[in-house]
Every structure is written in C-alpha cells, then in structure tokens.
Amino acid sequence: MAIFLGLFILLARSLFVPQMDLPSPLIGKQMPSFSLNELGKSSTVTDQDLIGAIALINIWATWCVGCDIEHDFLVELSLDQDLSIPIIGINWKDRDDLAKRWLIQKGNPYRTILSDPIGNTAIDFGVYGAPETFLIDQKGVIQYKHIGPMDRGNFEQHILPRIVELRE
C-alpha cells in the first residue's frame, strides 16, 4: 500500500509541473538537419539555408489551440523593425491549403513557411506538441526552446535577453 501511495503522489505531482519547464537535450547543439518544401511550393529549404542569422523557428498547425492563442503576438513580433528577427514557421502535420487559408485570415508572421506534413522534422527537433518555438543562433545552434503559446511576457523574460547576448 505504501508503494502504491508513493507512486500515486509522484504521478500527481508530475501533473502540476508546467510544460514550459521540460528540458531539451538539443540546447547548445546544432539544429537537426532537414529539407522541407516551402508551404504550397515545390522549392525546398534546408537547415543550412537558416545559418547566418539569429532566427526563431516556430512549430505550429491550424488545428492547434495554443498556436491560435500565440498567433497575434507572433504577428506583432514580426512587425517589430527594431528587433528584426526572422520567424521561420514549420507547419506541422497539417494540410498546406488549410495553413495558407489560416494565414490569410489571421496574418502571416513568418518570413519563410515550411511544410512538415508527416512530422519527421518536428520529431527531430524533439517537439512534444505545437506550438513550440526555438531560438537559433547565427551558427544554427539551438539556444532556447519554448513549449506552449508564446506571449510578450515569456518572450521578454526568456528569449529577448538571449537575442541581446547573441548580438553582442
């Protein structure tokens, strides 16, 4: 009975750990290699095409409630000329036509939109569920991973200081 109670307490505690606190083994490592089609196009973009600039990679989908929650902030962020950070969108396990329609209706914060219909690239990035956002440095190294909807508060607290540091 004591063992069962102990296991129950551990499980119950784990339910209340915020999902943003899940560690990523990819922090400090090169982003996974990939080659994905641009949304609705036959042209491809690889991980090597992203080398050379600090960027945010945002894994999203039209069916994702959290993606809808963070979308207005991403649009606002994409228009911030002082920040000037490209946001690369990877549309995860979604249809291109639905994604294009969704972006027309809600606005497009992405400099480049890639299609990952099977989800292999997202898996290589260690994605648990959309949305997830990665800060990539100029060399393509993952500096930070944010799980869940991004908002101004967590951007300014966790990502902006790292961007400032990378620019120094």
Side-chain angles (χ1 to χ4, degrees), residues 65-144:
V65 174
C67 300
D68 191 39
I69 292 169
E70 78 173 0
H71 193 78
D72 288 341
F73 173 70
L74 292 178
V75 170
E76 179 185 325
L77 190 62
S78 72
L79 298 174
D80 186 341
Q81 293 184 358
D82 292 333
L83 185 60
S84 186
I85 294 289
I87 304 172
I88 311 303
I90 298 180
N91 185 245
W92 182 42
K93 294 185 177 182
D94 208 350
R95 290 185 8 211
D96 284 4
D97 61 328
L98 293 177
K100 286 171 28 179
R101 188 173 337 129
W102 197 76
L103 291 170
I104 289 169
Q105 291 171 349
K106 296 185 169 297
N108 183 0
Y110 304 112
R111 184 168 297 172
T112 304
I113 311 163
L114 306 175
S115 181
D116 187 18
I118 297 171
N120 290 338
T121 297
I123 289 170
D124 291 344
F125 270 89
V127 170
Y128 293 95
E132 292 191 19
T133 303
F134 299 83
L135 173 63
I136 308 298
D137 71 13
Q138 302 92 326
K139 296 177 183 176
V141 175
I142 297 173
Q143 296 295 319
Y144 183 76

Coordinates of all heavy atoms in Angstrom, one line a residue, residues 65-144:
V65 N -4.8 24.8 -30.7 CA -5.4 25.9 -30.0 C -4.3 26.8 -29.5 O -4.5 28.0 -29.6 CB -6.2 25.3 -28.8 CG1 -6.8 26.4 -27.9 CG2 -7.4 24.4 -29.3
G66 N -3.2 26.3 -29.0 CA -2.2 27.2 -28.5 C -1.6 28.0 -29.6 O -1.1 29.2 -29.3
C67 N -1.5 27.5 -30.8 CA -1.0 28.3 -31.9 C -1.9 29.5 -32.2 O -1.4 30.5 -32.5 CB -0.9 27.4 -33.2 SG 0.2 25.9 -32.9
D68 N -3.2 29.3 -32.1 CA -4.1 30.3 -32.3 C -4.0 31.4 -31.2 O -4.0 32.6 -31.5 CB -5.6 29.8 -32.3 CG -6.6 30.8 -32.7 OD1 -6.3 31.5 -33.7 OD2 -7.7 30.8 -32.1
I69 N -3.7 31.0 -30.0 CA -3.5 31.9 -28.9 C -2.3 32.8 -29.1 O -2.3 34.0 -28.8 CB -3.4 31.1 -27.5 CG1 -4.7 30.4 -27.2 CG2 -2.9 32.0 -26.4 CD1 -4.7 29.4 -26.0
E70 N -1.2 32.2 -29.5 CA 0.1 32.9 -29.7 C 0.2 33.7 -31.0 O 1.0 34.6 -31.1 CB 1.3 32.0 -29.5 CG 1.6 31.2 -30.8 CD 2.9 30.4 -30.7 OE1 3.6 30.5 -29.7 OE2 3.2 29.7 -31.7
H71 N -0.7 33.5 -31.9 CA -0.6 34.0 -33.3 C -0.5 35.5 -33.4 O 0.3 36.1 -34.0 CB -1.6 33.4 -34.2 CG -1.3 33.7 -35.6 ND1 -0.4 32.9 -36.3 CD2 -1.8 34.6 -36.5 CE1 -0.3 33.4 -37.6 NE2 -1.1 34.4 -37.7
D72 N -1.4 36.2 -32.7 CA -1.4 37.7 -32.7 C -0.1 38.2 -32.2 O 0.4 39.2 -32.8 CB -2.6 38.2 -31.9 CG -3.9 38.0 -32.5 OD1 -3.9 37.8 -33.8 OD2 -4.9 38.1 -31.8
F73 N 0.5 37.6 -31.2 CA 1.8 38.1 -30.7 C 2.9 37.9 -31.7 O 3.7 38.7 -31.9 CB 2.2 37.4 -29.3 CG 3.6 37.8 -28.9 CD1 3.9 39.1 -28.5 CD2 4.6 36.9 -29.0 CE1 5.2 39.4 -28.2 CE2 5.9 37.2 -28.7 CZ 6.2 38.5 -28.3
L74 N 2.9 36.7 -32.4 CA 3.9 36.5 -33.4 C 3.8 37.5 -34.6 O 4.8 37.9 -35.1 CB 3.8 35.0 -34.0 CG 4.1 33.9 -33.0 CD1 3.9 32.6 -33.7 CD2 5.6 34.1 -32.5
V75 N 2.5 37.8 -35.0 CA 2.4 38.8 -36.0 C 2.9 40.2 -35.5 O 3.7 40.8 -36.2 CB 0.9 39.0 -36.4 CG1 0.6 40.2 -37.3 CG2 0.4 37.7 -37.1
E76 N 2.6 40.5 -34.3 CA 3.2 41.8 -33.7 C 4.7 41.7 -33.7 O 5.4 42.7 -34.0 CB 2.6 41.9 -32.3 CG 3.1 43.1 -31.6 CD 2.5 43.1 -30.1 OE1 1.4 42.7 -29.9 OE2 3.3 43.6 -29.2
L77 N 5.3 40.6 -33.3 CA 6.7 40.5 -33.2 C 7.4 40.6 -34.6 O 8.4 41.2 -34.7 CB 7.0 39.1 -32.6 CG 8.5 38.8 -32.2 CD1 8.9 39.8 -31.1 CD2 8.6 37.4 -31.7
S78 N 6.7 40.0 -35.6 CA 7.3 40.0 -36.9 C 7.3 41.5 -37.5 O 8.1 41.7 -38.4 CB 6.5 39.1 -37.9 OG 5.2 39.7 -38.2
L79 N 6.5 42.3 -37.0 CA 6.4 43.7 -37.5 C 7.4 44.7 -36.7 O 7.6 45.8 -37.1 CB 5.0 44.3 -37.4 CG 4.0 43.5 -38.2 CD1 2.6 44.1 -37.9 CD2 4.3 43.6 -39.7
D80 N 8.0 44.1 -35.6 CA 8.9 44.9 -34.8 C 10.3 45.1 -35.6 O 11.1 44.3 -35.6 CB 9.2 44.2 -33.5 CG 10.0 45.1 -32.5 OD1 10.7 46.0 -32.9 OD2 9.9 44.8 -31.3
Q81 N 10.4 46.3 -36.2 CA 11.6 46.6 -37.0 C 12.8 46.7 -36.2 O 14.0 46.5 -36.6 CB 11.4 47.8 -37.9 CG 10.3 47.5 -39.0 CD 10.1 48.6 -39.9 OE1 10.7 49.6 -39.8 NE2 9.2 48.3 -40.9
D82 N 12.7 47.1 -34.9 CA 13.9 47.3 -34.0 C 14.4 45.9 -33.7 O 15.7 45.8 -33.6 CB 13.5 48.0 -32.7 CG 13.1 49.4 -32.9 OD1 13.6 50.0 -33.9 OD2 12.3 50.0 -32.1
L83 N 13.6 44.9 -33.6 CA 14.1 43.6 -33.2 C 14.6 42.9 -34.5 O 15.7 42.3 -34.5 CB 12.9 42.8 -32.6 CG 13.3 41.4 -32.2 CD1 14.4 41.4 -31.1 CD2 12.1 40.7 -31.6
S84 N 13.9 42.9 -35.6 CA 14.3 42.4 -36.9 C 14.8 40.9 -36.8 O 15.9 40.6 -37.2 CB 15.3 43.3 -37.5 OG 15.6 42.8 -38.8
I85 N 14.0 40.1 -36.2 CA 14.3 38.6 -36.1 C 13.4 37.9 -37.0 O 12.2 38.0 -36.9 CB 14.2 38.1 -34.7 CG1 15.2 38.8 -33.7 CG2 14.3 36.6 -34.6 CD1 16.6 38.3 -33.9
P86 N 13.9 37.1 -38.0 CA 13.0 36.3 -38.8 C 12.4 35.2 -38.0 O 13.0 34.6 -37.2 CB 14.0 35.8 -39.9 CG 15.3 35.8 -39.3 CD 15.4 37.0 -38.3
I87 N 11.1 35.0 -38.3 CA 10.4 33.9 -37.7 C 10.2 32.9 -38.8 O 9.5 33.2 -39.8 CB 9.1 34.3 -37.1 CG1 9.3 35.4 -36.1 CG2 8.4 33.1 -36.4 CD1 8.0 36.1 -35.5
I88 N 10.7 31.7 -38.7 CA 10.5 30.6 -39.6 C 9.4 29.7 -39.1 O 9.5 29.2 -38.0 CB 11.8 29.8 -39.8 CG1 13.0 30.7 -40.0 CG2 11.7 28.8 -40.9 CD1 13.0 31.7 -41.2
G89 N 8.4 29.5 -39.9 CA 7.3 28.7 -39.4 C 7.4 27.3 -40.0 O 7.7 27.2 -41.2
I90 N 7.2 26.3 -39.2 CA 7.1 24.9 -39.7 C 5.7 24.4 -39.4 O 5.4 24.2 -38.2 CB 8.2 24.0 -39.1 CG1 9.6 24.5 -39.4 CG2 8.0 22.6 -39.6 CD1 10.7 23.7 -38.8
N91 N 4.9 24.3 -40.5 CA 3.6 23.8 -40.3 C 3.6 22.3 -40.2 O 4.0 21.6 -41.1 CB 2.8 24.3 -41.6 CG 1.3 23.9 -41.4 OD1 0.8 23.1 -42.2 ND2 0.6 24.5 -40.5
W92 N 3.1 21.9 -39.0 CA 3.3 20.5 -38.5 C 2.0 19.7 -38.7 O 1.0 20.0 -38.2 CB 3.7 20.6 -37.1 CG 4.0 19.3 -36.4 CD1 4.7 18.2 -37.0 CD2 3.7 18.9 -35.1 NE1 4.8 17.2 -36.0 CE2 4.2 17.6 -34.9 CE3 3.0 19.5 -34.1 CZ2 4.0 16.9 -33.7 CZ3 2.8 18.8 -32.9 CH2 3.3 17.5 -32.7
K93 N 2.2 18.6 -39.4 CA 1.1 17.6 -39.6 C -0.2 18.3 -40.0 O -1.3 18.1 -39.4 CB 0.9 16.8 -38.3 CG 2.0 15.9 -38.0 CD 1.7 15.0 -36.8 CE 2.8 14.1 -36.5 NZ 2.5 13.2 -35.4
D94 N -0.2 19.1 -41.0 CA -1.3 19.9 -41.5 C -1.3 19.9 -43.0 O -0.4 19.7 -43.6 CB -1.1 21.3 -40.9 CG -2.4 22.1 -40.7 OD1 -3.5 21.6 -41.1 OD2 -2.3 23.2 -40.0
R95 N -2.5 20.3 -43.5 CA -2.6 20.4 -45.0 C -2.2 21.8 -45.4 O -2.5 22.8 -44.7 CB -4.1 20.2 -45.4 CG -4.5 18.7 -45.2 CD -5.9 18.4 -45.7 NE -6.6 19.5 -46.4 CZ -7.9 19.6 -46.4 NH1 -8.6 18.8 -45.7 NH2 -8.4 20.6 -47.1
D96 N -1.5 21.9 -46.5 CA -1.0 23.2 -47.0 C -2.1 24.2 -47.3 O -2.0 25.3 -46.9 CB -0.1 23.0 -48.2 CG 1.3 22.5 -47.9 OD1 1.5 22.2 -46.7 OD2 2.1 22.4 -48.9
D97 N -3.2 23.7 -47.9 CA -4.3 24.6 -48.2 C -5.0 25.2 -47.0 O -5.3 26.3 -46.9 CB -5.4 23.9 -49.1 CG -6.0 22.6 -48.4 OD1 -5.3 22.0 -47.6 OD2 -7.2 22.4 -48.7
L98 N -5.1 24.4 -45.9 CA -5.7 24.9 -44.7 C -4.7 25.9 -44.0 O -5.2 26.9 -43.5 CB -5.9 23.7 -43.7 CG -7.0 22.7 -44.1 CD1 -7.1 21.6 -43.0 CD2 -8.4 23.4 -44.2
A99 N -3.5 25.6 -44.1 CA -2.5 26.5 -43.5 C -2.5 27.9 -44.2 O -2.4 28.9 -43.6 CB -1.1 25.9 -43.5
K100 N -2.5 27.8 -45.5 CA -2.5 29.1 -46.3 C -3.7 29.9 -46.0 O -3.6 31.1 -45.9 CB -2.3 28.7 -47.8 CG -0.9 28.3 -48.2 CD -0.7 27.7 -49.5 CE -1.5 28.1 -50.7 NZ -1.1 27.5 -52.0
R101 N -4.9 29.2 -46.0 CA -6.1 30.0 -45.7 C -6.1 30.6 -44.3 O -6.5 31.7 -44.1 CB -7.3 29.0 -45.8 CG -8.6 29.7 -45.7 CD -9.8 28.8 -46.1 NE -9.6 27.7 -46.9 CZ -9.9 26.4 -46.5 NH1 -10.6 26.2 -45.4 NH2 -9.6 25.4 -47.3
W102 N -5.6 29.8 -43.3 CA -5.5 30.3 -41.9 C -4.6 31.5 -41.9 O -4.9 32.5 -41.2 CB -4.9 29.2 -41.1 CG -5.0 29.3 -39.6 CD1 -6.2 29.0 -38.9 CD2 -4.0 29.6 -38.7 NE1 -5.9 29.2 -37.5 CE2 -4.6 29.5 -37.4 CE3 -2.7 29.9 -38.8 CZ2 -3.9 29.7 -36.2 CZ3 -2.0 30.1 -37.6 CH2 -2.6 30.0 -36.3
L103 N -3.5 31.5 -42.6 CA -2.5 32.7 -42.6 C -3.1 33.9 -43.3 O -2.9 35.0 -42.9 CB -1.2 32.3 -43.2 CG -0.4 31.3 -42.3 CD1 0.8 30.8 -43.1 CD2 0.0 31.9 -41.0
I104 N -3.9 33.7 -44.3 CA -4.6 34.8 -45.0 C -5.6 35.4 -44.0 O -5.7 36.7 -44.0 CB -5.3 34.3 -46.3 CG1 -4.2 34.0 -47.3 CG2 -6.2 35.3 -46.8 CD1 -4.8 33.2 -48.6
Q105 N -6.3 34.6 -43.3 CA -7.3 35.2 -42.4 C -6.7 35.8 -41.2 O -7.2 36.9 -40.7 CB -8.2 34.0 -41.9 CG -9.1 33.5 -42.9 CD -9.9 32.2 -42.5 OE1 -9.6 31.6 -41.4 NE2 -10.8 31.8 -43.3
K106 N -5.6 35.3 -40.6 CA -5.1 35.8 -39.3 C -3.8 36.6 -39.5 O -3.4 37.3 -38.5 CB -4.7 34.6 -38.5 CG -6.0 33.8 -38.1 CD -5.6 32.7 -37.1 CE -6.8 32.0 -36.5 NZ -7.6 32.9 -35.7
G107 N -3.2 36.7 -40.6 CA -2.0 37.4 -40.8 C -0.8 36.4 -40.8 O -0.9 35.4 -40.2
N108 N 0.2 36.8 -41.5 CA 1.4 35.9 -41.7 C 2.6 36.5 -41.0 O 3.2 37.4 -41.5 CB 1.7 35.6 -43.2 CG 2.8 34.7 -43.4 OD1 3.4 34.2 -42.4 ND2 3.2 34.4 -44.6
P109 N 3.0 35.9 -39.9 CA 4.2 36.4 -39.2 C 5.5 35.8 -39.7 O 6.6 36.2 -39.2 CB 4.0 36.0 -37.7 CG 3.2 34.7 -37.9 CD 2.4 34.9 -39.1
Y110 N 5.4 34.9 -40.6 CA 6.6 34.1 -40.9 C 7.3 34.7 -42.2 O 6.7 35.0 -43.2 CB 6.2 32.6 -41.2 CG 5.5 32.0 -40.0 CD1 4.1 31.7 -40.1 CD2 6.1 31.8 -38.9 CE1 3.5 31.2 -39.0 CE2 5.5 31.2 -37.8 CZ 4.1 30.9 -37.9 OH 3.5 30.4 -36.8
R111 N 8.7 34.7 -42.1 CA 9.5 35.1 -43.2 C 9.5 34.0 -44.2 O 9.4 34.2 -45.4 CB 10.9 35.5 -42.8 CG 11.7 36.0 -44.0 CD 13.0 36.6 -43.6 NE 12.7 37.8 -42.8 CZ 13.7 38.5 -42.2 NH1 15.0 38.1 -42.3 NH2 13.4 39.6 -41.5
T112 N 9.6 32.8 -43.7 CA 9.5 31.5 -44.5 C 8.6 30.6 -43.8 O 8.6 30.4 -42.6 CB 11.0 30.9 -44.6 OG1 11.8 31.9 -45.1 CG2 11.0 29.7 -45.5
I113 N 7.8 29.9 -44.6 CA 6.9 28.8 -44.0 C 7.2 27.5 -44.7 O 7.2 27.4 -45.9 CB 5.4 29.2 -44.3 CG1 5.1 30.6 -44.0 CG2 4.5 28.2 -43.6 CD1 3.8 31.1 -44.6
L114 N 7.5 26.5 -43.9 CA 7.9 25.2 -44.3 C 6.8 24.2 -44.0 O 6.1 24.4 -43.0 CB 9.2 24.8 -43.7 CG 10.4 25.7 -43.9 CD1 11.6 25.3 -43.1 CD2 10.7 26.0 -45.3
S115 N 6.7 23.2 -44.8 CA 5.6 22.2 -44.6 C 6.2 20.9 -44.1 O 7.1 20.3 -44.7 CB 4.8 22.0 -45.9 OG 3.8 21.1 -45.7
D116 N 5.7 20.4 -43.0 CA 6.2 19.1 -42.4 C 5.0 18.3 -42.2 O 4.5 18.0 -41.0 CB 6.9 19.4 -41.0 CG 7.6 18.2 -40.4 OD1 7.8 17.2 -41.1 OD2 7.9 18.2 -39.2
P117 N 4.4 17.8 -43.3 CA 3.1 17.1 -43.2 C 3.2 15.7 -42.4 O 2.2 15.3 -41.8 CB 2.7 16.9 -44.6 CG 4.0 16.9 -45.4 CD 4.9 17.8 -44.7
I118 N 4.3 15.1 -42.5 CA 4.4 13.8 -41.8 C 4.9 14.0 -40.3 O 4.5 13.3 -39.4 CB 5.4 12.8 -42.5 CG1 4.8 12.5 -43.9 CG2 5.6 11.6 -41.7 CD1 5.7 11.8 -44.8
G119 N 5.6 15.1 -40.1 CA 6.1 15.4 -38.8 C 7.5 15.0 -38.4 O 7.9 15.1 -37.2
N120 N 8.2 14.4 -39.3 CA 9.5 13.9 -39.0 C 10.5 15.0 -38.5 O 11.3 14.8 -37.6 CB 10.1 13.2 -40.2 CG 9.4 11.9 -40.5 OD1 8.8 11.3 -39.6 ND2 9.5 11.4 -41.7
T121 N 10.4 16.2 -39.2 CA 11.3 17.3 -38.7 C 11.0 17.7 -37.3 O 11.9 17.9 -36.5 CB 11.3 18.4 -39.8 OG1 11.8 17.9 -41.0 CG2 12.2 19.6 -39.3
A122 N 9.7 17.9 -37.0 CA 9.3 18.2 -35.7 C 9.8 17.2 -34.7 O 10.3 17.6 -33.6 CB 7.8 18.4 -35.6
I123 N 9.7 15.9 -35.0 CA 10.2 14.9 -34.1 C 11.7 15.0 -33.9 O 12.2 14.9 -32.8 CB 9.9 13.5 -34.7 CG1 8.4 13.3 -34.5 CG2 10.7 12.4 -34.0 CD1 7.8 12.0 -35.3
D124 N 12.5 15.3 -35.0 CA 13.9 15.5 -34.9 C 14.2 16.7 -34.0 O 15.3 16.7 -33.3 CB 14.5 15.8 -36.3 CG 14.5 14.5 -37.1 OD1 14.3 13.4 -36.6 OD2 14.7 14.6 -38.3
F125 N 13.4 17.7 -33.9 CA 13.6 18.9 -33.0 C 13.1 18.5 -31.6 O 13.3 19.3 -30.7 CB 12.8 20.1 -33.5 CG 13.5 21.0 -34.4 CD1 13.5 20.8 -35.8 CD2 14.3 22.1 -34.0 CE1 14.2 21.6 -36.7 CE2 14.9 22.9 -34.8 CZ 14.9 22.7 -36.2
G126 N 12.5 17.4 -31.4 CA 12.1 17.0 -30.1 C 10.8 17.6 -29.6 O 10.5 17.8 -28.5
V127 N 9.9 17.9 -30.6 CA 8.7 18.5 -30.3 C 7.7 17.6 -29.7 O 7.5 16.4 -30.1 CB 8.0 19.1 -31.7 CG1 6.6 19.6 -31.4 CG2 8.9 20.2 -32.2
Y128 N 7.1 18.0 -28.6 CA 6.1 17.3 -27.8 C 4.7 17.6 -28.4 O 3.9 16.7 -28.4 CB 6.1 17.7 -26.3 CG 7.4 17.3 -25.6 CD1 8.4 18.1 -25.4 CD2 7.5 16.0 -25.1 CE1 9.5 17.8 -24.7 CE2 8.6 15.6 -24.4 CZ 9.6 16.5 -24.2 OH 10.8 16.1 -23.5
G129 N 4.5 18.8 -28.7 CA 3.2 19.2 -29.3 C 3.3 20.7 -29.6 O 4.1 21.4 -29.1
A130 N 2.5 21.1 -30.6 CA 2.5 22.5 -31.0 C 1.8 23.4 -30.0 O 0.9 22.9 -29.3 CB 1.9 22.6 -32.4
P131 N 2.1 24.6 -29.9 CA 3.3 25.3 -30.5 C 4.6 25.1 -29.7 O 4.5 25.0 -28.5 CB 2.9 26.7 -30.5 CG 2.1 26.9 -29.3 CD 1.3 25.6 -29.2
E132 N 5.7 25.1 -30.4 CA 7.0 25.1 -29.7 C 7.9 26.0 -30.6 O 7.7 26.1 -31.8 CB 7.6 23.7 -29.7 CG 6.9 22.8 -28.7 CD 7.6 21.5 -28.3 OE1 8.8 21.5 -28.5 OE2 6.9 20.6 -27.9
T133 N 8.7 26.8 -29.9 CA 9.5 27.8 -30.6 C 10.9 27.7 -30.1 O 11.2 27.5 -28.9 CB 9.0 29.3 -30.2 OG1 7.6 29.4 -30.6 CG2 9.8 30.3 -31.0
F134 N 11.8 27.7 -31.1 CA 13.3 27.5 -30.9 C 14.0 28.8 -31.3 O 13.7 29.4 -32.4 CB 13.8 26.4 -31.7 CG 13.2 25.1 -31.4 CD1 12.0 24.7 -31.9 CD2 13.8 24.2 -30.5 CE1 11.4 23.5 -31.6 CE2 13.2 23.0 -30.2 CZ 12.0 22.6 -30.7
L135 N 14.9 29.2 -30.4 CA 15.8 30.3 -30.8 C 17.1 29.7 -31.3 O 17.8 28.9 -30.7 CB 16.1 31.2 -29.6 CG 17.2 32.3 -29.8 CD1 16.8 33.3 -30.8 CD2 17.5 33.0 -28.4
I136 N 17.4 30.1 -32.6 CA 18.6 29.6 -33.2 C 19.6 30.7 -33.4 O 19.3 31.8 -33.8 CB 18.2 29.0 -34.7 CG1 17.1 28.0 -34.6 CG2 19.4 28.4 -35.4 CD1 17.3 26.8 -33.8
D137 N 20.9 30.4 -33.1 CA 21.9 31.5 -33.3 C 22.4 31.5 -34.7 O 21.9 30.7 -35.6 CB 23.0 31.3 -32.2 CG 24.0 30.2 -32.5 OD1 23.9 29.5 -33.5 OD2 24.7 29.9 -31.5
Q138 N 23.4 32.4 -35.0 CA 23.9 32.6 -36.3 C 24.6 31.3 -36.9 O 24.7 31.2 -38.1 CB 24.9 33.7 -36.4 CG 24.4 35.0 -35.9 CD 24.6 35.3 -34.4 OE1 24.6 34.4 -33.6 NE2 24.8 36.5 -34.0
K139 N 25.0 30.4 -36.0 CA 25.7 29.2 -36.5 C 24.7 28.0 -36.6 O 25.1 26.9 -36.9 CB 26.8 28.9 -35.5 CG 27.9 29.9 -35.6 CD 29.0 29.6 -34.5 CE 30.0 30.7 -34.5 NZ 31.0 30.4 -33.5
G140 N 23.4 28.2 -36.3 CA 22.4 27.2 -36.3 C 22.3 26.4 -35.1 O 21.8 25.3 -35.1
V141 N 22.9 26.9 -34.0 CA 22.8 26.2 -32.7 C 21.6 26.6 -31.9 O 21.3 27.8 -31.9 CB 24.1 26.5 -31.9 CG1 24.0 25.9 -30.5 CG2 25.3 26.0 -32.6
I142 N 20.9 25.6 -31.4 CA 19.7 25.9 -30.6 C 20.1 26.5 -29.3 O 20.8 25.9 -28.5 CB 18.8 24.6 -30.4 CG1 18.4 24.1 -31.8 CG2 17.6 24.9 -29.5 CD1 17.7 22.8 -31.7
Q143 N 19.6 27.7 -29.0 CA 19.9 28.4 -27.8 C 18.8 28.3 -26.7 O 19.1 28.5 -25.5 CB 20.2 29.9 -28.1 CG 21.5 30.1 -28.9 CD 22.7 29.6 -28.3 OE1 22.9 29.9 -27.1 NE2 23.6 29.0 -29.0
Y144 N 17.6 28.1 -27.2 CA 16.5 28.1 -26.2 C 15.3 27.4 -26.9 O 15.1 27.5 -28.1 CB 16.1 29.5 -25.8 CG 15.0 29.6 -24.8 CD1 15.2 29.3 -23.5 CD2 13.7 29.9 -25.2 CE1 14.2 29.3 -22.5 CE2 12.7 30.0 -24.2 CZ 13.0 29.7 -22.9 OH 12.0 29.7 -22.0

